[in-house]
Amino acid sequence: MKAMVIQGPNLNMLGIRDPRIYGPAKLETIHQNIKQHAEQIGLVVDFFQSNFEGEIVDKIQECLGQYDGIIINPAAYSHTSVAIRDAISAVNLPTIEVHISNIHSREDFRHKSLTAAVCAGVIAGFGPMGYHLALQGLVQILTELNAIKEARKQAAAQNAQPQQ
């Protein structure tokens, strides 16, 4: 199983930007920890970060046929980007949205996520550990989807056998 972790605007500033809200860890350290946890649970992960909406849309689209699922922290774009929402919907890959901070305890404009409705789930407020929870959730979803595909294959094979 393979997943893409997409990080939105300003996440490259983690460790510098408002550590009271986002904590002291830099993005590189968070990615190292994600990679280590992913390996432990049998998931291969790649990473992408951009401050540009169009680049994030392009990366989501590139995931189609290359990855089994997506973990995304759209950051501020969660509250404003119909384009990212539409890209997630278009690729139809299991996607989990992560926010390091609890967006519901912050400014009112952060309480609504446009992208959340097209994601399998949202994890917010657990700091960098939220990515680990997302990995676990994504593996669970992918395992269930694979079991459904296998059951359908077996049923089709049984239906194709001549009746005796």
Side-chain angles (χ1 to χ4, degrees), residues 2-48:
K2 193 171 179 186
M4 172 60 72
V5 178
I6 299 174
Q7 305 282 17
N10 297 310
L11 292 171
N12 57 310
M13 298 297 290
L14 290 175
I16 298 167
R17 179 183 178 214
D18 210 343
R20 292 177 306 105
I21 294 174
Y22 301 106
K26 293 183 180 267
L27 188 60
E28 299 80 33
T29 303
I30 292 170
H31 284 177
Q32 289 169 355
N33 292 335
I34 292 169
K35 190 173 189 78
Q36 184 179 27
H37 184 72
E39 288 172 359
Q40 292 171 352
I41 61 173
L43 192 62
V44 174
V45 292
D46 290 321
F47 302 96
F48 176 78

Side-chain angles (χ1 to χ4, degrees), residues 2-6 59-61 63-64 67-73 87-88 91-97 119 134 138 142:
K2 193 171 179 186
M4 172 60 72
V5 178
I6 299 174
K59 184 54 71 176
I60 291 166
Q61 292 174 357
C63 289
L64 189 59
Y67 293 90
D68 301 302
I70 299 170
I71 294 172
I72 186 167
N73 184 340
I88 293 168
V91 298
N92 197 31
L93 292 171
T95 301
I96 299 178
E97 182 172 315
C119 292
L138 188 59
L142 294 174

Side-chain angles (χ1 to χ4, degrees), residues 12-140:
N12 57 310
M13 298 297 290
L14 290 175
I16 298 167
R17 179 183 178 214
D18 210 343
R20 292 177 306 105
I21 294 174
Y22 301 106
K26 293 183 180 267
L27 188 60
E28 299 80 33
T29 303
I30 292 170
H31 284 177
Q32 289 169 355
N33 292 335
I34 292 169
K35 190 173 189 78
Q36 184 179 27
H37 184 72
E39 288 172 359
Q40 292 171 352
I41 61 173
L43 192 62
V44 174
V45 292
D46 290 321
F47 302 96
F48 176 78
Q49 188 278 326
S50 179
N51 294 319
F52 300 100
E53 183 179 31
E55 289 181 359
I56 294 170
V57 169
D58 287 345
K59 184 54 71 176
I60 291 166
Q61 292 174 357
E62 290 168 13
C63 289
L64 189 59
Q66 304 297 314
Y67 293 90
D68 301 302
I70 299 170
I71 294 172
I72 186 167
N73 184 340
Y77 286 136
S78 8
H79 318 295
T80 63
S81 182
V82 174
I84 291 173
R85 175 193 169 106
D86 287 351
I88 293 168
S89 183
V91 298
N92 197 31
L93 292 171
T95 301
I96 299 178
E97 182 172 315
V98 174
H99 295 281
I100 293 170
S101 69
N102 180 353
I103 61 174
H104 302 288
S105 68
R106 299 185 61 198
E107 304 92 340
D108 286 345
F109 70 86
R110 295 187 195 274
H111 296 183
K112 172 98 171 130
S113 169
L114 297 179
T115 51
V118 294
C119 292
V122 178
I123 298 168
F126 288 93
M129 186 181 75
Y131 293 102
H132 298 259
L133 298 171
L135 290 171
Q136 294 291 145
L138 188 59
V139 166
Q140 181 66 35

